[in-house]
Amino acid sequence: MPRPSPKTNSGPSAISVVGCTVSFSGQRVVSDVSFSIPSGSVAAIIGPNGSGKTTLVKAILGLVPMDSGQVRIFDHPIADAHPMIGYVPQHLDFDRRFPITVAEFMELARHRHLEREKIDEMIDEVGLPDSTLKKQLGQLSGGQLQRVLIAQAILNNPDLLVLDEPASGIDIVGEKAFYDIIRHLNREHDTTVLMVSHELSVVSKLVDTVVCLNHKMICFGPPKKLLTVKGIGRIFGDQTQTFEHDLIQSLGHVHVHDSAHSHAADHDDIVKKRPVTKKKKR
Amino acid sequence: MQLLLEMLQFPFMQRALIAGAMLALLLSILGIFVTVRRMAFFGDGIAHASLAGIAIAILVGVSPLPVALAWAAAVALAVWWLERSTRLSSDTLIGILFTASMALGVVLMSFTRGYQPELVSFLFGSILSVRSIDLTYILAIGAVILTWLLLSFRHLTYMSLSEDQAIVSGIPVRLQTVILYVALALATVLGVKILGIILVSALLILPPAASRLLSSNFRGHVVMSVVMSELMVLLGLAVSCLYDLPSGATIILTGTAIFLLTALAGRLKR
C-alpha cells in the first residue's frame, strides 16, 4: 500500500476526532468525544480506570467500530492512514512459549523497502543490546518486551505513534528511560505521539496536550492549565487520592490550586503510601 | 523393505503416498497457526461436522468428498460469522455446530440401508479409499491453499501473535481470518480420507507440538514441523502396509511415538 502524505493542505492536525461514540452491548463507553491533536506534538489521554481510554484509542485506530463520529489521521480516513501509524498495545497477549525470536518478530512489521539493518538500528534506539534480537520473545522481561514493541512500532518511521499505557509492567528506572525514548522520538524524528497514561508527573512534563476522559471528554488543553488539584478532582473523582503523589511530584511544573500546598505538607505520608496507591492504579 | 518396494508398484499405494505427503505438508503448516491461535478444537470439530455432508452425499448418491468439503467450508464460515455477531467463543460455537452437524449426519445415515463402506472409510480413514478423483481434489485444493500460505505467511504469523498490531499495520485481518478458517476446514476434510474423521485433527496438532519442543526460532519451528509431519505420515503408512494395520490409527501412533521421543530429546537438551 503506498504511504499517503502526512502533510496536507488542510492544516497541521495529526489526529482529528469528531463526535466519537462507541458502545458495547448497548452500554455507551465513549460518548461524543471531539478533539484535535496538532502534528508534531505529544498528547496524552488520561482518566480513571474504566473511563474508556483504551476504547477511544482503539476507535481512533479503527480497531473497534464507532456508533457515530469521524476520525481523520493527517486528514486521511483511518483505513488509508495505517502506513503512517506505529502502535504499541497495552498488552501483547500471546503464547509466551511460541518459538519466535525478537528479530523474527521485528521482521513481521518491516516494510519490504526498508533494509534489514533498520531492525538493528531501532533495537539500539530503544536502548536494548544487539543480543536481544536472538532471544525468544517470550523470554523477555516486561520492560524489554515494551521496548521491543516500541522498536517495532517505530521501525517504519511512522508519522504518528500511538501507545496504550506504554509504561505498564516497567519498573520506575525503566519508566524514566522509556519516556526519554518518547521524548527523543518526538524531538528528533518529529513523530506525533498519542498515549494513554496514568503517570501524571510524566504527563505534566512530557505532554503538550491532555485529553481528560471519563466516558465523555471532561477537559482538553495543556497540562499546566488542567492538572491542578481541582482539575484532577474533576477528572478522577473518587480515585483522586491515587494520583496525589504524581501531582505533588510535578508541582514545580504545574500551576497548582492553593489547596495543593496543604497536600504538599503531607508529601512524606503520601510517599510512604505510594506502594499501595501504585498497586491500586495498575 | 522388499515388500514395501513391491507395495509401491500398486497404484493405490502410489496415490496414498502422494496424498499423504501433500496432506502432511498442508496440515503441519496450518497446524502452526492452529496451535498459536489456541484453536486446537477447530480441526476436530470440523472433521466431525463433515459427517453430515458425507451422509447427504451418500443419501443423494453422489461422491461424498466434494459435498463434505462444501459442508465443512459452510460450517467454518458459520463459526467465523457467529464469533463476530455473538459473545460466544470459537470453542463454544464449534462445540455447538460440530455436535449439531454430527447429530444430523447420524440421523441422515439412519435412512440408508445396509453396510456403508464409504462411511466406514471416512470414519476411520483408509489408504485404499484414495481414488484418482480424490487425489485430484487433494492436489488441486492443496496447491491453492499452499500458494495462499506462501503469499500470506508473514501476515498470518503477525495476526496470530498480535491481531490489533496487524490491523494497524494495514493487514486485511478480517479477510485473512475467513480464508484461514475455510482453508483449515478444507484441508481437514481432505485429511479425513487417510486418517478418518476421528483422528485427522492429530495431524494438525502433533507435528507443531513436537517441533515446538525442540525449536528456538520460528523458521526452525516451521521446517521441523513439516519434517516431523512427513515422517509421521510416510512412516505410519509404511508400518500400516507392512503389518496390515489401519492406516489412520498407525499414522497417529507413529506421530505419538515421534512426539514422545522429541519430548525426551527436549528434556535432554535442557
Side-chain angles (χ1 to χ4, degrees):
Chain A
M1 183 161 42
R3 186 175 174 136
S5 165
K7 306 283 185 275
T8 65
N9 55 11
S10 67
S13 197
I15 303 171
S16 164
V17 180
V18 180
C20 173
T21 300
V22 182
S23 304
F24 293 132
S25 310
Q27 195 170 353
R28 197 163 275 198
V29 181
V30 175
S31 182
D32 195 23
V33 171
S34 302
F35 61 86
S36 177
I37 305 295
S39 176
S41 64
V42 180
I45 301 173
I46 61 169
N49 291 332
S51 59
K53 302 184 296 292
T54 294
T55 303
L56 176 59
V57 163
K58 288 194 169 187
I60 290 170
L61 293 171
L63 297 173
V64 296
M66 288 187 287
D67 299 347
S68 59
Q70 194 189 39
V71 173
R72 291 188 79 81
I73 308 289
F74 295 108
D75 206 32
H76 297 282
I78 182 64
D80 297 340
H82 281 140
M84 294 190 283
I85 305 171
Y87 170 52
V88 179
Q90 191 174 4
H91 302 291
L92 187 64
D93 180 25
F94 73 108
D95 181 352
R96 292 186 82 91
R97 286 164 299 180
F98 187 65
I100 187 165
T101 63
V102 172
E104 287 172 325
F105 181 66
M106 293 282 290
E107 189 65 36
L108 294 175
R110 181 173 68 90
H111 287 172
R112 280 287 170 244
H113 64 271
L114 282 179
E115 289 171 358
R116 167 69 184 75
E117 286 68 35
K118 193 83 197 300
I119 291 176
D120 304 356
E121 208 181 293
M122 288 303 111
I123 284 291
D124 189 47
E125 180 111 4
V126 296
L128 288 170
D130 287 351
S131 57
T132 311
L133 286 166
K134 288 180 185 164
K135 284 188 179 175
Q136 284 195 25
L137 196 66
Q139 289 175 348
L140 300 181
S141 68
Q144 287 171 324
L145 182 59
Q146 281 300 102
R147 287 179 191 223
V148 167
L149 289 174
I150 294 215
Q152 196 195 44
I154 60 176
L155 183 63
N156 299 311
N157 297 320
D159 299 294
L160 171 65
L161 182 62
V162 180
L163 310 108
D164 190 355
E165 292 196 39
S168 60
I170 306 181
D171 58 27
I172 289 172
V173 179
E175 246 178 56
K176 188 188 174 306
F178 182 81
Y179 286 112
D180 285 344
I181 295 167
I182 304 292
R183 189 179 284 117
H184 167 80
L185 284 170
N186 175 249
R187 290 184 185 164
E188 303 301 320
H189 300 276
D190 202 28
T191 310
T192 307
V193 179
L194 173 68
M195 60 176 157
V196 170
S197 181
H198 278 307
E199 305 296 328
L200 293 191
S201 58
V202 172
V203 168
S204 66
K205 290 171 195 164
L206 183 72
V207 164
D208 305 307
T209 311
V210 174
V211 180
C212 323
L213 191 75
N214 200 346
H215 304 295
K216 293 179 178 176
M217 196 168 77
I218 308 288
C219 56
F220 175 82
K224 287 190 178 184
K225 198 174 167 188
L226 300 176
L227 296 184
T228 62
V229 169
K230 198 177 170 186
I232 300 291
R234 264 178 67 210
I235 302 162
F236 291 96
D238 293 344
Q239 293 180 39
T240 303
Q241 207 178 357
T242 308
F243 297 93
E244 275 179 343
H245 177 257
D246 276 345
L247 181 63
I248 286 161
Q249 267 202 332
S250 55
L251 279 177
H253 306 266
V254 181
H255 168 73
V256 184
H257 191 274
D258 279 345
S259 63
H261 295 298
S262 58
H263 284 75
D266 298 332
H267 188 188
D268 287 347
D269 286 347
I270 294 167
V271 170
K272 280 173 198 163
K273 284 177 198 163
R274 185 171 171 84
V276 178
T277 53
K278 274 296 239 191
K279 200 174 175 184
K280 193 177 163 190
K281 262 196 285 185
R282 299 228 164 107
Chain B
M1 196 64 192
Q2 179 71 27
L3 182 62
L4 265 180
L5 289 173
E6 277 174 28
M7 294 286 281
L8 277 174
Q9 307 300 315
F10 294 110
F12 79 85
M13 193 60 193
Q14 292 164 2
R15 287 197 296 271
L17 274 177
I18 297 167
M22 171 57 104
L23 289 166
L25 176 64
L26 203 57
L27 290 170
S28 62
I29 298 175
L30 285 168
I32 288 169
F33 299 112
V34 165
T35 49
V36 73
R37 295 170 72 99
R38 302 173 181 122
M39 49 192 291
F41 191 38
F42 188 92
D44 208 24
I46 288 289
H48 283 76
S50 69
L51 184 70
I54 294 160
I56 291 168
I58 289 174
L59 270 179
V60 177
V62 295
S63 175
L65 189 57
V67 182
L69 286 167
W71 185 268
V75 172
L77 287 172
V79 170
W80 176 82
W81 183 75
L82 287 169
E83 243 178 38
R84 267 137 201 85
S85 43
T86 66
R87 277 194 248 165
L88 299 171
S89 73
S90 146
D91 271 2
T92 307
L93 291 166
I94 292 164
I96 294 166
L97 288 174
F98 127 52
T99 46
S101 188
M102 187 139 185
L104 178 66
V106 173
V107 169
L108 291 174
M109 288 313 296
S110 70
F111 296 127
T112 60
R113 287 182 187 169
Y115 176 68
Q116 294 294 333
E118 279 277 21
L119 179 67
V120 175
S121 81
F122 269 99
L123 278 176
F124 300 106
S126 164
I127 53 168
L128 293 169
S129 72
V130 182
R131 299 165 304 169
S132 295
I133 184 70
D134 298 329
L135 186 62
T136 309
Y137 277 117
I138 290 170
L139 292 180
I141 296 172
V144 171
I145 297 175
L146 278 177
T147 308
W148 167 73
L149 278 173
L150 202 67
L151 295 174
S152 309
F153 202 76
R154 212 159 67 115
H155 287 185
L156 288 170
T157 310
Y158 200 9
M159 62 191 239
S160 298
L161 283 169
S162 178
E163 191 168 299
D164 283 351
Q165 282 181 292
I167 293 170
V168 174
S169 77
I171 294 170
V173 168
R174 186 177 286 201
L175 176 68
Q176 293 284 29
T177 307
V178 179
I179 300 174
L180 177 65
Y181 278 29
V182 173
L184 259 172
L186 296 179
T188 305
V189 173
L190 290 175
V192 163
K193 286 302 290 182
I194 287 186
L195 291 155
I197 285 170
I198 296 161
L199 299 173
V200 66
S201 65
L203 204 52
L204 277 170
I205 312 298
L206 275 173
S211 156
R212 219 181 236 227
L213 297 174
L214 294 180
S215 309
S216 56
N217 60 55
F218 189 53
R219 190 185 295 261
H221 179 41
V222 176
V223 171
M224 213 177 285
S225 182
V226 172
V227 169
M228 284 182 177
S229 184
E230 293 290 353
L231 199 65
M232 176 177 161
V233 170
L234 299 179
L235 202 63
L237 271 178
V239 172
S240 78
C241 282
L242 281 176
Y243 299 101
D244 194 22
L245 298 168
S247 62
T250 312
I251 288 169
I252 303 308
L253 288 175
T254 308
T256 310
I258 291 172
F259 176 80
L260 291 174
L261 285 173
T262 313
L264 197 65
R267 281 189 80 85
L268 291 175
K269 198 179 162 188
R270 266 185 269 151

